[in-house]
Amino acid sequence: MKLNTLRREKIKEFIKHKQIVSLKELSGEFSDVSVMTLHRDLDFLAKEGVILRIRGGAKYLEPMDRVQNEETADVCNKSQKDIVAQKAVGFIREGSSIFLDGGTTMMELAKIIPDMYLNVVTNGPDIALAIAEKMRPAITLCGGVLNRKNLAVFGYSALEMLSKINIDVAFISASGYSEECGFTCGFEEQVKLRRLLIEKARSVIILMDSTKFGRMLPYTFAKMEDVNFLVTDQTPSQEMLELAQKNNVTIL
């Protein structure tokens, strides 16, 4: 393990134990590390979603807090999400059956889908309402348990319904992507639903803005080889491009 990786792991564990720490406390605990290096380590952990930078220090984020922090950040990335949605809408063909995952990026896509004859399946009640403003699409809303934090429906009923429906294109959201963990999300119940969609759909398209590159949330639902397209707003790293090419994944 690299020294900086080991040090960051120790810093993470220290913050986890203390819950909230000041930079002064960190400097005292890690006296062999410069303040600038500690700042960089905290920036790295914040990007990973492990901590929240606060004035003069950092706060540890429990898994549920990380999701809430992620959801709040989503609202601030509207311009990136608009770009992703504009690219993704080109995959929608009249007469097809599509699945729209819950989430803010998917809402931007739902708003700009043309008023055409489609079968739209979704686990997002708000997504269904946005589609319902159009006259032609048929809408199937999954039943199940509503997650209030991301306004999406999960559980046995949703899985049972989706197992009986044919999907041409599944548009799936991702809250993070890292080379070691793949596409990740913040809720365990999202994993089963998304893996079922990946099995059933003819084409799997991940929608993810560039702020999610390098982020790692608790649960992995897919690896690069499980998807067909990745739609984002910026060109990812060379390593990510090479991995996508190796697995025949098109990045737009």
Side-chain angles (χ1 to χ4, degrees):
M1 185 178 288
K2 293 180 180 179
L3 287 177
N4 62 340
T5 303
L6 184 62
R7 184 183 65 251
R8 286 167 180 168
E9 188 64 27
K10 288 181 178 179
I11 291 172
K12 183 184 79 171
E13 290 303 315
F14 181 73
I15 299 173
K16 181 179 179 180
H17 175 71
K18 302 281 286 186
Q19 291 295 304
I20 297 178
V21 299
S22 66
L23 191 59
K24 184 178 179 180
E25 287 178 281
L26 284 170
S27 296
E29 181 70 16
F30 300 92
S31 55
D32 57 333
V33 180
S34 71
V35 173
M36 288 298 294
T37 298
L38 285 174
H39 274 296
R40 285 194 293 269
D41 288 342
L42 292 178
D43 287 340
F44 177 86
L45 293 173
K47 185 179 179 182
E48 291 289 299
V50 174
I51 65 164
L52 178 67
R53 293 296 304 267
I54 59 176
R55 186 177 178 85
K59 175 185 176 183
Y60 182 75
L61 290 177
E62 298 292 346
M64 292 300 294
D65 294 328
R66 294 175 202 176
V67 175
Q68 287 181 289
N69 194 51
E70 185 77 25
E71 297 293 334
T72 303
D74 274 349
V75 179
C76 303
N77 301 327
K78 189 174 184 302
S79 61
Q80 291 100 317
K81 295 176 189 303
D82 286 341
I83 294 171
V84 173
Q86 289 291 342
K87 290 181 178 182
V89 76
F91 287 96
I92 298 176
R93 299 287 181 267
E94 188 158 15
S96 61
S97 176
I98 67 172
F99 177 86
L100 296 181
D101 202 358
T104 51
T105 301
M106 219 60 67
M107 174 58 77
E108 298 306 317
L109 174 58
K111 290 175 183 177
I112 63 172
I113 289 176
D115 192 357
M116 61 173 66
Y117 291 104
L118 286 171
N119 291 298
V120 179
V121 184
T122 182
N123 66 329
D126 55 341
I127 304 293
L129 288 172
I131 298 294
E133 295 182 6
K134 310 174 198 297
M135 296 298 295
R136 294 178 177 84
I139 306 163
T140 300
L141 178 61
C142 295
V145 179
L146 179 68
N147 184 317
R148 288 184 174 86
K149 288 188 171 61
N150 62 0
L151 293 180
V153 173
F154 300 101
Y156 174 81
S157 298
L159 294 173
E160 182 71 12
M161 179 181 291
L162 286 172
S163 69
K164 299 174 181 177
I165 296 178
N166 298 318
I167 304 291
D168 288 313
V169 182
F171 293 93
I172 299 176
S173 302
S175 297
Y177 178 83
S178 63
E179 188 174 344
E180 61 270 33
C181 294
F183 296 100
T184 57
C185 57
F187 298 105
E188 187 175 7
E189 61 264 33
Q190 290 174 314
V191 176
K192 288 184 179 179
L193 185 142
R194 289 173 176 174
R195 286 182 178 171
L196 176 61
L197 287 164
I198 288 169
E199 285 181 19
K200 290 187 63 66
R202 287 180 172 177
S203 184
V204 176
I205 303 175
I206 299 289
L207 304 190
M208 185 179 73
D209 67 73
S210 57
T211 64
K212 312 296 175 55
F213 295 163
R215 288 187 177 179
M216 180 179 64
L217 273 78
Y219 303 103
T220 296
F221 67 88
K223 295 288 191 174
M224 187 67 77
E225 60 265 27
D226 297 319
V227 310
N228 302 107
F229 297 90
L230 170 60
V231 181
T232 186
D233 59 297
Q234 290 185 17
T235 303
S237 66
Q238 187 61 35
E239 291 80 6
M240 193 170 175
L241 288 171
E242 290 173 359
L243 183 61
Q245 185 177 23
K246 179 181 176 181
N247 289 282
N248 297 315
V249 177
T250 302
I251 298 182
L252 298 176

